[in-house]
PDB file of all heavy atoms in Angstrom:
ATOM      1  N   TYR F  10      65.793 131.070 128.623  1.00 97.00           N
ATOM      2  CA  TYR F  10      65.288 130.962 129.982  1.00 97.00           C
ATOM      3  C   TYR F  10      66.430 131.400 130.895  1.00 97.00           C
ATOM      4  O   TYR F  10      67.544 130.881 130.809  1.00 97.00           O
ATOM      5  CB  TYR F  10      64.884 129.523 130.314  1.00 97.00           C
ATOM      6  CG  TYR F  10      64.576 129.339 131.778  1.00 97.00           C
ATOM      7  CD1 TYR F  10      63.329 129.662 132.294  1.00 97.00           C
ATOM      8  CD2 TYR F  10      65.548 128.872 132.649  1.00 97.00           C
ATOM      9  CE1 TYR F  10      63.057 129.525 133.645  1.00 97.00           C
ATOM     10  CE2 TYR F  10      65.284 128.733 134.008  1.00 97.00           C
ATOM     11  CZ  TYR F  10      64.038 129.059 134.489  1.00 97.00           C
ATOM     12  OH  TYR F  10      63.788 128.923 135.830  1.00 97.00           O
ATOM     13  N   VAL F  11      66.162 132.366 131.764  1.00 98.00           N
ATOM     14  CA  VAL F  11      67.180 132.853 132.694  1.00 98.00           C
ATOM     15  C   VAL F  11      66.655 132.646 134.107  1.00 98.00           C
ATOM     16  O   VAL F  11      65.650 133.245 134.499  1.00 98.00           O
ATOM     17  CB  VAL F  11      67.504 134.342 132.446  1.00 98.00           C
ATOM     18  CG1 VAL F  11      68.546 134.831 133.435  1.00 98.00           C
ATOM     19  CG2 VAL F  11      67.973 134.557 131.012  1.00 98.00           C
ATOM     20  N   ALA F  12      67.336 131.781 134.856  1.00 97.00           N
ATOM     21  CA  ALA F  12      66.924 131.471 136.227  1.00 97.00           C
ATOM     22  C   ALA F  12      67.367 132.585 137.172  1.00 97.00           C
ATOM     23  O   ALA F  12      68.276 133.365 136.862  1.00 97.00           O
ATOM     24  CB  ALA F  12      67.547 130.146 136.661  1.00 97.00           C
ATOM     25  N   THR F  13      66.733 132.624 138.311  1.00 96.00           N
ATOM     26  CA  THR F  13      67.167 133.533 139.362  1.00 96.00           C
ATOM     27  C   THR F  13      68.549 133.080 139.829  1.00 96.00           C
ATOM     28  O   THR F  13      68.737 131.898 140.136  1.00 96.00           O
ATOM     29  CB  THR F  13      66.178 133.496 140.542  1.00 96.00           C
ATOM     30  OG1 THR F  13      64.882 133.866 140.072  1.00 96.00           O
ATOM     31  CG2 THR F  13      66.618 134.431 141.654  1.00 96.00           C
ATOM     32  N   PRO F  14      69.542 133.975 139.839  1.00 97.00           N
ATOM     33  CA  PRO F  14      70.899 133.576 140.254  1.00 97.00           C
ATOM     34  C   PRO F  14      70.918 133.060 141.692  1.00 97.00           C
ATOM     35  O   PRO F  14      70.077 133.431 142.512  1.00 97.00           O
ATOM     36  CB  PRO F  14      71.707 134.870 140.148  1.00 97.00           C
ATOM     37  CG  PRO F  14      70.913 135.769 139.276  1.00 97.00           C
ATOM     38  CD  PRO F  14      69.473 135.388 139.480  1.00 97.00           C
ATOM     39  N   VAL F  15      71.886 132.183 141.971  1.00 96.00           N
ATOM     40  CA  VAL F  15      72.114 131.732 143.346  1.00 96.00           C
ATOM     41  C   VAL F  15      73.451 132.292 143.804  1.00 96.00           C
ATOM     42  O   VAL F  15      74.357 132.513 143.001  1.00 96.00           O
ATOM     43  CB  VAL F  15      72.079 130.192 143.477  1.00 96.00           C
ATOM     44  CG1 VAL F  15      70.694 129.660 143.175  1.00 96.00           C
ATOM     45  CG2 VAL F  15      73.106 129.531 142.599  1.00 96.00           C
ATOM     46  N   GLU F  16      73.543 132.557 145.095  1.00 97.00           N
ATOM     47  CA  GLU F  16      74.756 133.170 145.628  1.00 97.00           C
ATOM     48  C   GLU F  16      75.349 132.294 146.729  1.00 97.00           C
ATOM     49  O   GLU F  16      74.622 131.742 147.554  1.00 97.00           O
ATOM     50  CB  GLU F  16      74.426 134.552 146.190  1.00 97.00           C
ATOM     51  CG  GLU F  16      75.644 135.340 146.598  1.00 97.00           C
ATOM     52  CD  GLU F  16      75.309 136.781 146.915  1.00 97.00           C
ATOM     53  OE1 GLU F  16      75.296 137.599 145.984  1.00 97.00           O
ATOM     54  OE2 GLU F  16      75.045 137.069 148.093  1.00 97.00           O
ATOM     55  N   PHE F  17      76.646 132.168 146.692  1.00 97.00           N
ATOM     56  CA  PHE F  17      77.384 131.405 147.691  1.00 97.00           C
ATOM     57  C   PHE F  17      78.274 132.367 148.466  1.00 97.00           C
ATOM     58  O   PHE F  17      78.771 133.346 147.912  1.00 97.00           O
ATOM     59  CB  PHE F  17      78.250 130.339 147.015  1.00 97.00           C
ATOM     60  CG  PHE F  17      77.436 129.306 146.291  1.00 97.00           C
ATOM     61  CD1 PHE F  17      77.117 129.464 144.955  1.00 97.00           C
ATOM     62  CD2 PHE F  17      76.971 128.190 146.960  1.00 97.00           C
ATOM     63  CE1 PHE F  17      76.356 128.521 144.291  1.00 97.00           C
ATOM     64  CE2 PHE F  17      76.202 127.242 146.309  1.00 97.00           C
ATOM     65  CZ  PHE F  17      75.890 127.406 144.971  1.00 97.00           C
ATOM     66  N   THR F  18      78.469 132.063 149.734  1.00 97.00           N
ATOM     67  CA  THR F  18      79.312 132.906 150.579  1.00 97.00           C
ATOM     68  C   THR F  18      80.275 132.041 151.391  1.00 97.00           C
ATOM     69  O   THR F  18      80.016 130.854 151.623  1.00 97.00           O
ATOM     70  CB  THR F  18      78.472 133.751 151.557  1.00 97.00           C
ATOM     71  OG1 THR F  18      77.709 132.877 152.384  1.00 97.00           O
ATOM     72  CG2 THR F  18      77.559 134.706 150.820  1.00 97.00           C
ATOM     73  N   ARG F  19      81.374 132.642 151.783  1.00 97.00           N
ATOM     74  CA  ARG F  19      82.294 132.019 152.731  1.00 97.00           C
ATOM     75  C   ARG F  19      83.030 133.137 153.460  1.00 97.00           C
ATOM     76  O   ARG F  19      83.138 134.269 152.979  1.00 97.00           O
ATOM     77  CB  ARG F  19      83.274 131.071 152.056  1.00 97.00           C
ATOM     78  CG  ARG F  19      84.319 131.743 151.183  1.00 97.00           C
ATOM     79  CD  ARG F  19      85.272 130.716 150.637  1.00 97.00           C
ATOM     80  NE  ARG F  19      86.228 131.336 149.709  1.00 97.00           N
ATOM     81  CZ  ARG F  19      87.196 130.669 149.118  1.00 97.00           C
ATOM     82  NH1 ARG F  19      87.348 129.380 149.337  1.00 97.00           N
ATOM     83  NH2 ARG F  19      88.013 131.279 148.295  1.00 97.00           N
ATOM     84  N   THR F  20      83.548 132.799 154.630  1.00 97.00           N
ATOM     85  CA  THR F  20      84.292 133.755 155.442  1.00 97.00           C
ATOM     86  C   THR F  20      85.768 133.702 155.060  1.00 97.00           C
ATOM     87  O   THR F  20      86.331 132.626 154.881  1.00 97.00           O
ATOM     88  CB  THR F  20      84.138 133.423 156.936  1.00 97.00           C
ATOM     89  OG1 THR F  20      82.746 133.428 157.259  1.00 97.00           O
ATOM     90  CG2 THR F  20      84.874 134.421 157.805  1.00 97.00           C
ATOM     91  N   VAL F  21      86.370 134.877 154.910  1.00 97.00           N
ATOM     92  CA  VAL F  21      87.809 134.986 154.671  1.00 97.00           C
ATOM     93  C   VAL F  21      88.381 135.837 155.794  1.00 97.00           C
ATOM     94  O   VAL F  21      87.952 136.969 156.001  1.00 97.00           O
ATOM     95  CB  VAL F  21      88.112 135.635 153.301  1.00 97.00           C
ATOM     96  CG1 VAL F  21      89.614 135.730 153.091  1.00 97.00           C
ATOM     97  CG2 VAL F  21      87.448 134.870 152.163  1.00 97.00           C
ATOM     98  N   SER F  22      89.336 135.268 156.527  1.00 97.00           N
ATOM     99  CA  SER F  22      89.987 135.993 157.620  1.00 97.00           C
ATOM    100  C   SER F  22      91.428 136.273 157.228  1.00 97.00           C
ATOM    101  O   SER F  22      92.100 135.420 156.658  1.00 97.00           O
ATOM    102  CB  SER F  22      89.975 135.161 158.902  1.00 97.00           C
ATOM    103  OG  SER F  22      88.649 134.845 159.263  1.00 97.00           O
ATOM    104  N   THR F  23      91.904 137.483 157.533  1.00 96.00           N
ATOM    105  CA  THR F  23      93.280 137.864 157.228  1.00 96.00           C
ATOM    106  C   THR F  23      94.018 138.123 158.534  1.00 96.00           C
ATOM    107  O   THR F  23      93.580 138.942 159.346  1.00 96.00           O
ATOM    108  CB  THR F  23      93.315 139.119 156.345  1.00 96.00           C
ATOM    109  OG1 THR F  23      92.541 138.879 155.165  1.00 96.00           O
ATOM    110  CG2 THR F  23      94.734 139.466 155.946  1.00 96.00           C
ATOM    111  N   ASP F  24      95.145 137.420 158.703  1.00 95.00           N
ATOM    112  CA  ASP F  24      95.988 137.624 159.879  1.00 95.00           C
ATOM    113  C   ASP F  24      96.591 139.015 159.786  1.00 95.00           C
ATOM    114  O   ASP F  24      97.252 139.358 158.806  1.00 95.00           O
ATOM    115  CB  ASP F  24      97.085 136.557 159.927  1.00 95.00           C
ATOM    116  CG  ASP F  24      97.917 136.647 161.198  1.00 95.00           C
ATOM    117  OD1 ASP F  24      98.614 137.682 161.381  1.00 95.00           O
ATOM    118  OD2 ASP F  24      97.884 135.692 161.985  1.00 95.00           O
ATOM    119  N   ALA F  25      96.360 139.849 160.802  1.00 95.00           N
ATOM    120  CA  ALA F  25      96.822 141.236 160.783  1.00 95.00           C
ATOM    121  C   ALA F  25      98.341 141.359 160.778  1.00 95.00           C
ATOM    122  O   ALA F  25      98.885 142.356 160.295  1.00 95.00           O
ATOM    123  CB  ALA F  25      96.242 141.997 161.977  1.00 95.00           C
ATOM    124  N   VAL F  26      99.046 140.371 161.270  1.00 96.00           N
ATOM    125  CA  VAL F  26     100.512 140.425 161.355  1.00 96.00           C
ATOM    126  C   VAL F  26     101.152 139.872 160.085  1.00 96.00           C
ATOM    127  O   VAL F  26     102.003 140.502 159.469  1.00 96.00           O
ATOM    128  CB  VAL F  26     101.025 139.668 162.600  1.00 96.00           C
ATOM    129  CG1 VAL F  26     102.546 139.633 162.621  1.00 96.00           C
ATOM    130  CG2 VAL F  26     100.482 140.297 163.868  1.00 96.00           C
ATOM    131  N   THR F  27     100.722 138.668 159.686  1.00 96.00           N
ATOM    132  CA  THR F  27     101.381 137.997 158.549  1.00 96.00           C
ATOM    133  C   THR F  27     100.703 138.279 157.208  1.00 96.00           C
ATOM    134  O   THR F  27     101.295 138.052 156.162  1.00 96.00           O
ATOM    135  CB  THR F  27     101.394 136.477 158.759  1.00 96.00           C
ATOM    136  OG1 THR F  27     100.045 135.982 158.742  1.00 96.00           O
ATOM    137  CG2 THR F  27     102.076 136.108 160.061  1.00 96.00           C
ATOM    138  N   GLY F  28      99.459 138.713 157.251  1.00 95.00           N
ATOM    139  CA  GLY F  28      98.710 138.926 156.007  1.00 95.00           C
ATOM    140  C   GLY F  28      98.171 137.627 155.421  1.00 95.00           C
ATOM    141  O   GLY F  28      97.522 137.630 154.383  1.00 95.00           O
ATOM    142  N   GLU F  29      98.428 136.501 156.097  1.00 97.00           N
ATOM    143  CA  GLU F  29      97.965 135.202 155.601  1.00 97.00           C
ATOM    144  C   GLU F  29      96.446 135.119 155.702  1.00 97.00           C
ATOM    145  O   GLU F  29      95.853 135.497 156.706  1.00 97.00           O
ATOM    146  CB  GLU F  29      98.604 134.078 156.420  1.00 97.00           C
ATOM    147  CG  GLU F  29      98.210 132.697 155.952  1.00 97.00           C
ATOM    148  CD  GLU F  29      98.869 131.600 156.777  1.00 97.00           C
ATOM    149  OE1 GLU F  29      99.896 131.860 157.435  1.00 97.00           O
ATOM    150  OE2 GLU F  29      98.348 130.489 156.752  1.00 97.00           O
ATOM    151  N   LYS F  30      95.828 134.619 154.632  1.00 97.00           N
ATOM    152  CA  LYS F  30      94.368 134.495 154.597  1.00 97.00           C
ATOM    153  C   LYS F  30      93.960 133.069 154.916  1.00 97.00           C
ATOM    154  O   LYS F  30      94.600 132.114 154.503  1.00 97.00           O
ATOM    155  CB  LYS F  30      93.834 134.891 153.227  1.00 97.00           C
ATOM    156  CG  LYS F  30      94.022 136.361 152.931  1.00 97.00           C
ATOM    157  CD  LYS F  30      93.379 136.760 151.633  1.00 97.00           C
ATOM    158  CE  LYS F  30      93.594 138.256 151.428  1.00 97.00           C
ATOM    159  NZ  LYS F  30      92.765 138.799 150.389  1.00 97.00           N
ATOM    160  N   THR F  31      92.874 132.963 155.661  1.00 97.00           N
ATOM    161  CA  THR F  31      92.278 131.681 155.984  1.00 97.00           C
ATOM    162  C   THR F  31      90.859 131.700 155.423  1.00 97.00           C
ATOM    163  O   THR F  31      90.108 132.646 155.659  1.00 97.00           O
ATOM    164  CB  THR F  31      92.225 131.468 157.513  1.00 97.00           C
ATOM    165  OG1 THR F  31      93.544 131.582 158.034  1.00 97.00           O
ATOM    166  CG2 THR F  31      91.643 130.109 157.859  1.00 97.00           C
ATOM    167  N   TYR F  32      90.519 130.648 154.669  1.00 97.00           N
ATOM    168  CA  TYR F  32      89.221 130.586 154.004  1.00 97.00           C
ATOM    169  C   TYR F  32      88.306 129.582 154.682  1.00 97.00           C
ATOM    170  O   TYR F  32      88.694 128.440 154.930  1.00 97.00           O
ATOM    171  CB  TYR F  32      89.405 130.183 152.536  1.00 97.00           C
ATOM    172  CG  TYR F  32      90.221 131.179 151.757  1.00 97.00           C
ATOM    173  CD1 TYR F  32      91.606 131.058 151.647  1.00 97.00           C
ATOM    174  CD2 TYR F  32      89.617 132.262 151.135  1.00 97.00           C
ATOM    175  CE1 TYR F  32      92.356 131.980 150.947  1.00 97.00           C
ATOM    176  CE2 TYR F  32      90.366 133.192 150.420  1.00 97.00           C
ATOM    177  CZ  TYR F  32      91.733 133.039 150.337  1.00 97.00           C
ATOM    178  OH  TYR F  32      92.470 133.959 149.642  1.00 97.00           O
ATOM    179  N   GLY F  33      87.082 129.997 154.954  1.00 97.00           N
ATOM    180  CA  GLY F  33      86.069 129.101 155.508  1.00 97.00           C
ATOM    181  C   GLY F  33      85.415 128.312 154.395  1.00 97.00           C
ATOM    182  O   GLY F  33      85.717 128.499 153.203  1.00 97.00           O
ATOM    183  N   ALA F  34      84.511 127.443 154.764  1.00 96.00           N
ATOM    184  CA  ALA F  34      83.786 126.622 153.789  1.00 96.00           C
ATOM    185  C   ALA F  34      82.733 127.472 153.070  1.00 96.00           C
ATOM    186  O   ALA F  34      82.170 128.410 153.636  1.00 96.00           O
ATOM    187  CB  ALA F  34      83.114 125.456 154.497  1.00 96.00           C
ATOM    188  N   TRP F  35      82.491 127.113 151.805  1.00 96.00           N
ATOM    189  CA  TRP F  35      81.422 127.775 151.051  1.00 96.00           C
ATOM    190  C   TRP F  35      80.073 127.368 151.642  1.00 96.00           C
ATOM    191  O   TRP F  35      79.920 126.293 152.214  1.00 96.00           O
ATOM    192  CB  TRP F  35      81.475 127.383 149.576  1.00 96.00           C
ATOM    193  CG  TRP F  35      82.577 128.064 148.821  1.00 96.00           C
ATOM    194  CD1 TRP F  35      83.753 127.516 148.432  1.00 96.00           C
ATOM    195  CD2 TRP F  35      82.606 129.421 148.374  1.00 96.00           C
ATOM    196  NE1 TRP F  35      84.518 128.443 147.775  1.00 96.00           N
ATOM    197  CE2 TRP F  35      83.835 129.625 147.723  1.00 96.00           C
ATOM    198  CE3 TRP F  35      81.727 130.489 148.472  1.00 96.00           C
ATOM    199  CZ2 TRP F  35      84.193 130.850 147.173  1.00 96.00           C
ATOM    200  CZ3 TRP F  35      82.091 131.710 147.915  1.00 96.00           C
ATOM    201  CH2 TRP F  35      83.308 131.884 147.279  1.00 96.00           C
ATOM    202  N   SER F  36      79.085 128.220 151.482  1.00 96.00           N
ATOM    203  CA  SER F  36      77.732 127.909 151.947  1.00 96.00           C
ATOM    204  C   SER F  36      77.218 126.656 151.238  1.00 96.00           C
ATOM    205  O   SER F  36      77.790 126.202 150.243  1.00 96.00           O
ATOM    206  CB  SER F  36      76.799 129.099 151.719  1.00 96.00           C
ATOM    207  OG  SER F  36      76.859 129.542 150.381  1.00 96.00           O
ATOM    208  N   ALA F  37      76.133 126.102 151.735  1.00 96.00           N
ATOM    209  CA  ALA F  37      75.585 124.825 151.245  1.00 96.00           C
ATOM    210  C   ALA F  37      75.223 124.863 149.760  1.00 96.00           C
ATOM    211  O   ALA F  37      74.955 125.940 149.190  1.00 96.00           O
ATOM    212  CB  ALA F  37      74.345 124.477 152.056  1.00 96.00           C
TER     213      ALA F  37
END
C-alpha cells in the first residue's frame, strides 16, 4: 500500500552580507 506523499515547507532566509541562514517553522 503506497499512500499519497505529504509535503512540508518552511522559509529559509539568507543574510546577503554574512551568509547566515535563518529557518522558519515547518508547515503544520
Side-chain angles (χ1 to χ4, degrees):
Y10 170 83
V11 179
T13 301
V15 294
E16 188 170 273
F17 296 91
T18 60
R19 70 177 176 178
T20 303
V21 180
S22 301
T23 304
D24 185 295
V26 175
T27 65
E29 182 179 340
K30 293 185 179 194
T31 303
Y32 298 91
W35 284 104
S36 52

